[in-house]
Structures are given as structure tokens and as C-alpha cells.
Amino acid sequence: MTVQPIRLFGDPVLRTPADPVVDFDAELRKLIADLTDTMREQNGAGLAAPQLGVGLRVFTFDVDDMLGHLVNPVLEFPDEEEQDGPEGCLSIPGLYFDTKRRQNVIAKGFTAHGDPMQIVGTGLMARCLQHETDHLDGVLFLDRLDAAGRKEAMKAIRQADWYDQAAPPTVKLSPHPVTNPFGLGR
């Protein structure tokens, strides 16, 4: 178990959809341990494998005294209720922006040993599950901001001490629905 460096905004791995996990082996369990150690060292609520440069569909979380992981997650939204509040990302350190998310989510996937599991999340846990699953799809929370919010975020990122002027990243619109799972209304 080792704390690993976190990839920062602009790294192409953060924009690349991750591959499904097919081998539930010791290597996967080591990756989950590294994700957990790195997330806890950085006081994060969650951390996805692409943030460590690994293109696999797995993330860890530590929300409301619930520490865990989810492999190959699939999200379901039981209702249309939304939340709007500050959201940050360990790959965009020190910056937070109000981001709309669904209030309630059901995340289905697998444990490190391949056993099926389900997490029912509301509030902060729902936000975390959506944020980390977005990472697995190559989507950053900035993609969920409206045009004015993205402009404000990019200005703050360009002023951040970790930002690399030589490799300016781009922000894209999310391919995922903001308000409902069928893409009706934005």
C-alpha cells in the first residue's frame, strides 16, 4: 500500500474513459489499497483509478464515516431531485465550484473480490458516487458547470500555482445528463 501522485487537470488520462475491470485479483486489490491510502493522505472524499494514471473502472470513497470502494459502477437515479453545492477534486486542488448533481443515487458494482454490491447514496455520498463515476467516463466536474461557471473555473485554474501554462487543458461539455438520465432538458 502506497501513496501515489495524483494526476492533475490537463493530464490526458483524466479525459480518457476507463476500461472495465475483468480480473479481480491481487493487482486490483493493491490498486484499491493505493487509491485508499492516497485519498486518505489528501483528505479526499473519493479517488478514481484514472487520477492515479490507471485506466480501470474502480474508485474509493470515504464519506460520512463510510470507507469503501466500487468496481465497474453503474448508477441509477430513483428520482429527479437535485442538489447544488460546492464541489472540488483532488485533480484540481484547492478549487471548489457550485455544481448541480442528483440528490439520490443507487450505485451498483462489485467488490475487489468480484462480489456484487450496491450503495444507496444521498447528499454528499450521492455527489461523491456521481463525481467518481464521472472520472471513469473521462468527465470532470467542471464539465457540469454552466458557461459562466466554466469560465470562472478556468480563470481560477490558470491562476493556480500547480497549473502548467505550457500544456493548457480544455474543458468540454459533459456527454452525461445534468438534470435527468434521459437527457431531457439541460
Side-chain angles (χ1 to χ4, degrees):
M1 294 176 272
T2 310
V3 172
Q4 301 291 328
I6 295 175
R7 303 294 180 96
L8 296 178
F9 182 64
D11 190 314
V13 73
L14 297 174
R15 292 300 193 177
T16 305
D19 295 325
V21 170
V22 294
D23 295 319
F24 292 82
D25 56 10
E27 190 174 325
L28 174 64
R29 290 185 287 282
K30 181 184 180 326
L31 171 61
I32 291 169
D34 288 352
L35 283 164
T36 302
D37 287 350
T38 304
M39 172 187 66
R40 296 189 101 186
E41 172 73 20
Q42 297 295 318
N43 296 313
L47 189 65
Q51 292 178 275
L52 297 187
V54 179
L56 290 174
R57 295 188 68 79
V58 59
F59 65 79
T60 56
F61 57 87
D62 188 0
V63 177
D64 299 331
D65 296 323
M66 186 173 170
L67 177 66
H69 66 274
L70 193 57
V71 179
N72 295 337
V74 175
L75 301 183
E76 296 176 5
F77 301 100
D79 57 47
E80 299 289 323
E81 189 177 352
E82 292 183 337
Q83 59 175 304
D84 193 3
E87 190 165 324
C89 179
L90 294 175
S91 292
I92 307 170
L95 301 176
Y96 298 84
F97 301 96
D98 283 347
T99 307
K100 282 188 181 181
R101 293 280 185 183
R102 298 299 276 283
Q103 177 67 22
N104 303 296
V105 65
I106 300 168
K108 296 180 179 182
F110 300 90
T111 68
H113 296 281
D115 298 321
M117 70 177 294
Q118 174 177 296
I119 303 166
V120 177
T122 187
L124 184 57
M125 178 60 86
R127 181 178 294 279
C128 177
L129 294 170
Q130 292 168 83
H131 179 108
E132 299 310 328
T133 301
D134 272 355
H135 270 301
L136 304 180
D137 294 330
V139 175
L140 299 174
F141 83 100
L142 301 174
D143 302 332
R144 295 196 172 274
L145 303 177
D146 61 21
R150 279 192 302 278
K151 184 175 180 179
E152 176 188 344
M154 287 306 299
K155 180 179 179 184
I157 287 168
R158 284 190 294 274
Q159 294 171 349
D161 59 359
W162 52 264
Y163 177 69
D164 183 359
Q165 294 284 349
T170 58
V171 175
K172 64 181 182 178
L173 292 177
S174 172
H176 303 286
V178 173
T179 58
N180 64 60
F182 305 106
L184 304 173
R186 271 219 185 258

